[in-house]
Amino acid sequence: MLELPHSSGDQEQASGLFYQSGVTLPTVARGEGIYIWDTSGKRYLDACSGSFAANIGHGNRRVQKAAIEQMQKISFAYRTQFENEPANALAQLLTELSPPHLRRVFLVNSGSEAVESCMKLARQYWWARGLTQKAKIISRRPAYHGATLGALSLTSYHDLNAPFEPLTVQSPKISAPFCYRCPLSKTYPSCKMACAHELKQVIREVGAENIAAFVTEPIGGASTGGAVAPDEWFPIVEDICRRHNILLIVDEVLTGCGRTGAFYGFEHWGVKPDLIAVAKGLSAGYAPIGACLARNDIVDVVVKSGGFMHGHTLAGNPLSSATALAVLKVIVEDKLVENARKMGPYLQECLRALQVKYSFIGDVRGRGLLAGIEFVSNQKTKEPFPKEWNVGGKATALARGHGLLIYPRRSIMGVSGDHVSLSPPLIIDKIGIDEIITLLDKTLSDTAAWLQQQHAKNAA
Ligand SMILES: Cc1ncc(COP(=O)(O)O)c(C=O)c1O
């Protein structure tokens, strides 16, 4: 996940690292289950799994054992020189957990790389079939698909895109199905799913002969904080893709491996993507890894044409593969997808109770253990707070003070609007959720007091 700079905290520089500008963060010491401790001994409840990654929680002994055992054998062997057992076993288990038409796996090191692999595989497929014009990839607005230049071309989140616009490929966009803040200013169901039908309009404008694929998150992640489309949305866009000979790519980087209460987010709607990207939950943060899964015939065409013209040096290395394999086994053996499905409604119910208590919570949304709450200055009009107040960032800082980790983002095209995501490890139980809610309640109470001060300052 690409981070926007937060400017608060002390300016002292601990090292040359500059992930965040001007912020000194606590130094992490260790993790166990849903908790992380810093070097001062302070404990944090990880209610956002880092950034939606630590799905099996921290410090899992089975994963540690698998990684150590693999490291004692070999950590790296180059994929064009050797097959390696963990990578093959990982691909085997991943395909067993995926729909039967997605049987081919290409391993990479991150979510952005997984998305770019899908983009390039889709493009090379049409190229190999002689349809050399089919190159453009349509995506949604707002959306987050990664930070590298290809994935950034599909991302629509103003502050992340703006500096790099001259370097990215201009890709067509359609409005995301974000009903709380409809980009088309319509209301469901009288909108008649205009956002989904916009895909037809854009295809007409660009020409199906020029389009390789349409890419979508199944449920809005960082850009909308868990916005779930109405049930009609996915079948409509799938049908439009089929009719126009356009591949459907689903970006499961954030949602995949159980986060939403199904192994993949798209399974809630029974659609059949042609390619998918996974990462984050695939290794639950224990190693950098991602994957692109594709239809057999797509890969066959590309392989016959001379092979996929793409790859990364460290991809599919034995250590990351053995680690991810152990993570997937934990997800299966501990029934974590089922747990996300069971715990999700309880989390939503608790968050809705907080919405009743705090008038600045405009919306509670999400599915499974992917939840978002949106802060507004007026529940009825949905008026956002002034951008410069950075209410999501402030609430996140206050939560940290209470030992709670949550994740802030902007909801209105990455420019303004504040939401925070709650996406705890999938191992969480009701007691853990109750603890999140207690800490969040304290956080929101502090946020309410801070908002009052801001209003008073503004009025003065
Ligand atoms: C839906 C989605 N796709 C792609 C990415 C990029 O993944 P990474 O940060 O691992 O490159 C992210 C990261 O948050 C994401 O949420």
PDB file of all heavy atoms in Angstrom, residues 1 110-112 144-146 217 251 253-254 280, ligand 1:
ATOM      1  N   MET A   1       0.844  -1.193   0.000  1.00  0.00           N
ATOM      2  CA  MET A   1       0.000   0.000   0.000  1.00  0.00           C
ATOM      3  C   MET A   1       0.875   1.237   0.000  1.00  0.00           C
ATOM      4  O   MET A   1       1.803   1.354   0.775  1.00  0.00           O
ATOM      5  CB  MET A   1      -0.871  -0.024   1.248  1.00  0.00           C
ATOM      6  CG  MET A   1      -1.780   1.163   1.383  1.00  0.00           C
ATOM      7  SD  MET A   1      -3.275   0.993   0.452  1.00  0.00           S
ATOM      8  CE  MET A   1      -4.017  -0.407   1.272  1.00  0.00           C
ATOM      9  N   SER A 110       4.637  -8.581  -4.887  1.00  0.00           N
ATOM     10  CA  SER A 110       3.793  -7.557  -4.255  1.00  0.00           C
ATOM     11  C   SER A 110       2.461  -7.464  -4.987  1.00  0.00           C
ATOM     12  O   SER A 110       2.283  -8.041  -6.071  1.00  0.00           O
ATOM     13  CB  SER A 110       4.478  -6.186  -4.321  1.00  0.00           C
ATOM     14  OG  SER A 110       4.477  -5.727  -5.660  1.00  0.00           O
ATOM     15  N   GLY A 111       1.557  -6.665  -4.410  1.00  0.00           N
ATOM     16  CA  GLY A 111       0.258  -6.469  -5.032  1.00  0.00           C
ATOM     17  C   GLY A 111       0.355  -5.696  -6.334  1.00  0.00           C
ATOM     18  O   GLY A 111      -0.297  -6.039  -7.331  1.00  0.00           O
ATOM     19  N   SER A 112       1.169  -4.643  -6.341  1.00  0.00           N
ATOM     20  CA  SER A 112       1.318  -3.860  -7.575  1.00  0.00           C
ATOM     21  C   SER A 112       1.860  -4.739  -8.699  1.00  0.00           C
ATOM     22  O   SER A 112       1.394  -4.662  -9.844  1.00  0.00           O
ATOM     23  CB  SER A 112       2.276  -2.683  -7.344  1.00  0.00           C
ATOM     24  OG  SER A 112       1.808  -1.852  -6.312  1.00  0.00           O
ATOM     25  N   TYR A 144      -7.975   1.899  -6.068  1.00  0.00           N
ATOM     26  CA  TYR A 144      -6.542   1.783  -5.794  1.00  0.00           C
ATOM     27  C   TYR A 144      -6.054   0.426  -6.299  1.00  0.00           C
ATOM     28  O   TYR A 144      -6.566  -0.613  -5.891  1.00  0.00           O
ATOM     29  CB  TYR A 144      -6.202   1.928  -4.299  1.00  0.00           C
ATOM     30  CG  TYR A 144      -4.708   1.955  -4.091  1.00  0.00           C
ATOM     31  CD1 TYR A 144      -3.974   3.078  -4.437  1.00  0.00           C
ATOM     32  CD2 TYR A 144      -4.021   0.835  -3.632  1.00  0.00           C
ATOM     33  CE1 TYR A 144      -2.588   3.109  -4.325  1.00  0.00           C
ATOM     34  CE2 TYR A 144      -2.625   0.851  -3.508  1.00  0.00           C
ATOM     35  CZ  TYR A 144      -1.920   1.992  -3.855  1.00  0.00           C
ATOM     36  OH  TYR A 144      -0.544   2.011  -3.753  1.00  0.00           O
ATOM     37  N   HIS A 145      -5.071   0.443  -7.208  1.00  0.00           N
ATOM     38  CA  HIS A 145      -4.550  -0.807  -7.759  1.00  0.00           C
ATOM     39  C   HIS A 145      -3.037  -0.931  -7.612  1.00  0.00           C
ATOM     40  O   HIS A 145      -2.454  -1.869  -8.155  1.00  0.00           O
ATOM     41  CB  HIS A 145      -4.933  -0.935  -9.239  1.00  0.00           C
ATOM     42  CG  HIS A 145      -6.403  -1.128  -9.446  1.00  0.00           C
ATOM     43  ND1 HIS A 145      -7.066  -2.269  -9.069  1.00  0.00           N
ATOM     44  CD2 HIS A 145      -7.345  -0.309  -9.970  1.00  0.00           C
ATOM     45  CE1 HIS A 145      -8.358  -2.162  -9.359  1.00  0.00           C
ATOM     46  NE2 HIS A 145      -8.556  -0.983  -9.900  1.00  0.00           N
ATOM     47  N   GLY A 146      -2.396   0.025  -6.927  1.00  0.00           N
ATOM     48  CA  GLY A 146      -0.964  -0.113  -6.719  1.00  0.00           C
ATOM     49  C   GLY A 146      -0.199   1.140  -7.071  1.00  0.00           C
ATOM     50  O   GLY A 146      -0.748   2.105  -7.624  1.00  0.00           O
ATOM     51  N   GLU A 217     -11.716  -3.825  -8.341  1.00  0.00           N
ATOM     52  CA  GLU A 217     -11.689  -4.449  -7.020  1.00  0.00           C
ATOM     53  C   GLU A 217     -13.094  -5.018  -6.797  1.00  0.00           C
ATOM     54  O   GLU A 217     -14.074  -4.386  -7.208  1.00  0.00           O
ATOM     55  CB  GLU A 217     -11.417  -3.394  -5.939  1.00  0.00           C
ATOM     56  CG  GLU A 217     -10.059  -2.716  -6.044  1.00  0.00           C
ATOM     57  CD  GLU A 217      -9.997  -1.441  -5.210  1.00  0.00           C
ATOM     58  OE1 GLU A 217      -9.722  -1.524  -4.010  1.00  0.00           O
ATOM     59  OE2 GLU A 217     -10.221  -0.346  -5.765  1.00  0.00           O
ATOM     60  N   ASP A 251      -9.049  -7.494  -9.086  1.00  0.00           N
ATOM     61  CA  ASP A 251      -7.923  -7.207  -8.196  1.00  0.00           C
ATOM     62  C   ASP A 251      -8.315  -7.636  -6.776  1.00  0.00           C
ATOM     63  O   ASP A 251      -9.033  -6.928  -6.073  1.00  0.00           O
ATOM     64  CB  ASP A 251      -7.602  -5.709  -8.261  1.00  0.00           C
ATOM     65  CG  ASP A 251      -6.449  -5.323  -7.333  1.00  0.00           C
ATOM     66  OD1 ASP A 251      -6.035  -6.163  -6.506  1.00  0.00           O
ATOM     67  OD2 ASP A 251      -5.976  -4.178  -7.418  1.00  0.00           O
ATOM     68  N   VAL A 253      -6.094  -8.215  -4.419  1.00  0.00           N
ATOM     69  CA  VAL A 253      -4.901  -8.016  -3.589  1.00  0.00           C
ATOM     70  C   VAL A 253      -5.293  -7.797  -2.124  1.00  0.00           C
ATOM     71  O   VAL A 253      -4.708  -8.386  -1.211  1.00  0.00           O
ATOM     72  CB  VAL A 253      -4.057  -6.834  -4.130  1.00  0.00           C
ATOM     73  CG1 VAL A 253      -3.015  -6.379  -3.115  1.00  0.00           C
ATOM     74  CG2 VAL A 253      -3.388  -7.229  -5.441  1.00  0.00           C
ATOM     75  N   LEU A 254      -6.314  -6.969  -1.912  1.00  0.00           N
ATOM     76  CA  LEU A 254      -6.715  -6.643  -0.543  1.00  0.00           C
ATOM     77  C   LEU A 254      -7.783  -7.618  -0.032  1.00  0.00           C
ATOM     78  O   LEU A 254      -7.796  -8.004   1.129  1.00  0.00           O
ATOM     79  CB  LEU A 254      -7.222  -5.197  -0.526  1.00  0.00           C
ATOM     80  CG  LEU A 254      -7.603  -4.541   0.787  1.00  0.00           C
ATOM     81  CD1 LEU A 254      -7.356  -3.032   0.708  1.00  0.00           C
ATOM     82  CD2 LEU A 254      -9.052  -4.786   1.141  1.00  0.00           C
ATOM     83  N   LYS A 280      -1.210  -9.356  -0.481  1.00  0.00           N
ATOM     84  CA  LYS A 280      -1.371  -9.165   0.977  1.00  0.00           C
ATOM     85  C   LYS A 280      -1.659 -10.438   1.795  1.00  0.00           C
ATOM     86  O   LYS A 280      -0.788 -10.969   2.454  1.00  0.00           O
ATOM     87  CB  LYS A 280      -2.491  -8.149   1.213  1.00  0.00           C
ATOM     88  CG  LYS A 280      -2.174  -6.752   0.685  1.00  0.00           C
ATOM     89  CD  LYS A 280      -3.293  -5.803   0.976  1.00  0.00           C
ATOM     90  CE  LYS A 280      -3.107  -4.423   0.392  1.00  0.00           C
ATOM     91  NZ  LYS A 280      -2.326  -3.513   1.210  1.00  0.00           N
TER      92      LYS A 280
HETATM   93  C1  LIG B   1      -6.664  -3.519  -4.286  1.00  0.00           C
HETATM   94  C2  LIG B   1      -5.186  -3.300  -4.251  1.00  0.00           C
HETATM   95  N1  LIG B   1      -4.451  -3.592  -5.337  1.00  0.00           N
HETATM   96  C3  LIG B   1      -3.113  -3.439  -5.356  1.00  0.00           C
HETATM   97  C4  LIG B   1      -2.441  -2.968  -4.261  1.00  0.00           C
HETATM   98  C5  LIG B   1      -0.942  -2.795  -4.301  1.00  0.00           C
HETATM   99  O1  LIG B   1      -0.335  -3.708  -3.466  1.00  0.00           O
HETATM  100  P1  LIG B   1       1.163  -3.451  -2.928  1.00  0.00           P
HETATM  101  O2  LIG B   1       1.079  -2.320  -1.976  1.00  0.00           O
HETATM  102  O3  LIG B   1       1.525  -4.766  -2.293  1.00  0.00           O
HETATM  103  O4  LIG B   1       2.011  -3.168  -4.106  1.00  0.00           O
HETATM  104  C6  LIG B   1      -3.160  -2.664  -3.104  1.00  0.00           C
HETATM  105  C7  LIG B   1      -2.473  -2.151  -1.914  1.00  0.00           C
HETATM  106  O5  LIG B   1      -3.066  -1.679  -0.991  1.00  0.00           O
HETATM  107  C8  LIG B   1      -4.564  -2.831  -3.093  1.00  0.00           C
HETATM  108  O6  LIG B   1      -5.288  -2.529  -2.011  1.00  0.00           O
END
